[in-house]
């Protein structure tokens, strides 16, 4: 019984980095999903602006949060389609992640 004292503390210390990595991976996945939704919304706003004859780029920047609007790329096609590409903020040291959406 005396050899088992502190066993739970040792197991927690061994498991803690795994739990932190799992939480970071889940938050990165959530951020990626939210950026995909924001890209779809921004592309829709840009397409509506292009159909009305106003600036799609200004409409895209208006609907995006300031943190995402800094790394956005807007491309207007010849057919009137608006493509939006966002840089996803990173929680983990991953290569650059981007997400895009196209609306016509």
């Amino acid at each position: 019984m005396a050899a088992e004292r502190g066993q739970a503390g040792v197991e927690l210390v061994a498991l803690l980095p795994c739990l932190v990595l799992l939480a970071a991976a889940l938050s990165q996945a959530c951020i990626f999903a939210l950026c995909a939704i924001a890209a779809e919304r921004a592309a829709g706003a840009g397409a509506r602006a292009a159909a009305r004859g106003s600036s799609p780029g200004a409409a895209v920047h208006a609907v995006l949060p300031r943190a995402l609007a800094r790394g956005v790329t807007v491309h207007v096609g010849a057919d009137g389609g608006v493509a939006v590409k966002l840089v996803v903020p990173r929680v983990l040291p991953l290569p650059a992640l981007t997400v895009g959406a196209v609306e016509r």
Side-chain angles (χ1 to χ4, degrees):
M1 194 69 136
E4 293 181 13
R5 292 194 70 170
Q7 181 71 24
V10 170
E11 289 174 358
L12 178 65
V13 168
L15 191 59
L16 198 56
C18 295
L19 292 174
V20 169
L21 184 62
L22 179 65
L26 285 173
S27 64
Q28 185 67 65
C30 289
I31 291 170
F32 187 83
L34 289 173
C35 285
I37 293 168
E40 284 285 332
R41 201 171 123 222
R48 282 189 301 277
R52 287 190 308 249
S54 54
S55 171
V60 166
H61 281 84
V63 297
L64 286 175
R66 193 175 353 186
L68 295 178
R70 279 182 269 156
V72 68
T73 304
V74 180
H75 177 72
V76 180
D79 62 347
V82 176
V84 174
K85 187 175 178 182
L86 295 175
V87 177
V88 178
R90 294 181 289 175
V91 174
L92 297 171
L94 298 171
L97 297 171
T98 59
V99 65
V102 177
E103 290 287 334
R104 294 188 193 329

